[in-house]
Amino acid sequence: MSTIKFLQGDCLEWMDKIATKGKVVDVVLTSPPYNTGRPSTSERSRGNHEGRYDIHLDTMTNAQYCNWCVDIFNHINNILKPNGVILWNVSYSSDGSVNSEGIDCLWTSIADIIRKTDFMVADKITWKKKSALPNNVSHNKLTRICEEVFIFCRKDEYKTFYANKEVSSVGKNGQTFYKPIYNFIEAANNDGSCKLNKATYSSELCIKLLNIYAPKHGLIFDPFMGTGTTGIACEELRLNCIGTELSEEQVEYSKNRLREYRESI
């Protein structure tokens, strides 16, 4: 059985605690908040949180969001093992209900991570969902059926970061050839939303990503665990996992979900 830990609290504070043990994490896999909310003043006063999360209000300014992402990556640098990778799934709103700076927030955050941290984008995987519902109501924006997963590695580890590519043959001149792994994954949209989180993750996607990048018996870290999806994927693959989550209710939900999953197999 895998060791799965769900920890309640701010991911930055938990990473400071994990860092006291050194660089112990093999892979960071997460889908952070996209910063695409735009609640009205009345929604703020009611604590509505757009109905998306039970705690997090996804409405930072572009600059705040970029600085927040940079801070997260600098903290990850203190706990990620040499040649480990960060699998960072981010996207944008498809219906026009975004903050005033819109889609730029996605790209400026990626650019700032590259400029202001020790990490670079080593690869990018396109995740095609099984459906595109709800359809886009914008007069000019396309209905989004794909999202991106950015694979980050340290800049000095670009040629050495870990991946599970299998050798297919070795040429006469010593050239090694590998079985292809394509940068396109089709997987379910999510594992089903709940009242605590309307933006849950896909365990099918997590399993496929971890099959590419996680070493056997590795330790996976998800700083935005939500309802425990990454933990379920790790349990399926016999990987160890630490997940942090601000919401106490979502942490309890994740623990119950994991227990029920273990009882079902």
Side-chain angles (χ1 to χ4, degrees), residues 102-133:
I103 192 173
D104 280 351
C105 195
L106 187 163
W107 298 112
T108 53
S109 66
I110 296 297
D112 270 6
I113 290 166
I114 296 169
R115 285 195 298 255
K116 299 178 181 180
T117 78
D118 289 337
F119 292 92
M120 62 176 287
V121 175
D123 224 327
K124 183 177 71 66
I125 292 173
T126 295
W127 165 28
K128 180 180 178 292
K129 300 180 178 183
K130 296 294 179 63
S131 70
L133 297 176

Side-chain angles (χ1 to χ4, degrees), residues 27-231:
V27 174
V28 174
L29 167 58
T30 196
S31 182
Y34 299 164
N35 201 43
T36 55
R38 190 178 60 184
S40 66
T41 302
S42 60
E43 285 174 327
R44 286 181 184 273
S45 65
R46 292 197 304 269
N48 186 284
H49 301 272
E50 311 122 282
R52 190 178 302 171
Y53 308 109
D54 63 330
I55 285 185
H56 179 70
L57 188 59
D58 204 26
T59 55
M60 301 180 199
T61 66
N62 197 338
Q64 288 171 335
Y65 185 74
C66 290
N67 290 336
W68 181 66
C69 290
V70 167
D71 200 11
I72 290 166
F73 271 71
N74 284 331
H75 276 72
I76 290 173
N77 198 22
N78 295 326
I79 65 172
L80 186 67
K81 288 182 180 178
N83 294 310
V85 295
I86 303 169
L87 311 178
W88 189 255
N89 165 225
V90 285
S91 190
Y92 56 93
S93 173
S94 62
D95 64 0
S97 300
V98 298
N99 62 42
S100 60
E101 293 160 297
I103 192 173
D104 280 351
C105 195
L106 187 163
W107 298 112
T108 53
S109 66
I110 296 297
D112 270 6
I113 290 166
I114 296 169
R115 285 195 298 255
K116 299 178 181 180
T117 78
D118 289 337
F119 292 92
M120 62 176 287
V121 175
D123 224 327
K124 183 177 71 66
I125 292 173
T126 295
W127 165 28
K128 180 180 178 292
K129 300 180 178 183
K130 296 294 179 63
S131 70
L133 297 176
N135 192 17
N136 196 313
V137 298
S138 167
H139 75 282
N140 58 6
K141 290 182 65 181
L142 307 183
T143 295
R144 184 189 64 197
I145 196 169
C146 293
E147 292 192 12
E148 307 305 327
V149 181
F150 294 89
I151 293 80
F152 284 91
C153 70
R154 292 186 179 93
K155 293 169 183 173
D156 60 354
E157 295 172 352
Y158 177 68
K159 294 184 178 181
T160 59
F161 71 88
Y162 184 84
N164 291 312
K165 296 191 72 174
E166 296 182 37
V167 175
S168 58
S169 63
V170 179
K172 293 181 180 179
N173 63 353
Q175 174 69 53
T176 302
F177 297 92
Y178 297 90
K179 294 180 181 179
I181 300 177
Y182 299 108
N183 66 337
F184 180 88
I185 292 176
E186 186 169 5
N189 291 36
N190 54 56
D191 287 0
S193 63
C194 67
K195 66 178 182 179
L196 301 172
N197 191 330
K198 296 298 190 292
T200 58
Y201 210 21
S202 167
S203 58
E204 183 181 3
L205 173 67
C206 291
I207 288 169
K208 290 181 177 181
L209 290 171
L210 292 172
N211 274 330
I212 300 173
Y213 292 106
K216 188 176 182 180
H217 306 307
L219 175 60
I220 313 304
F221 177 61
D222 186 346
F224 305 99
M225 179 61 74
T227 55
T229 303
T230 300

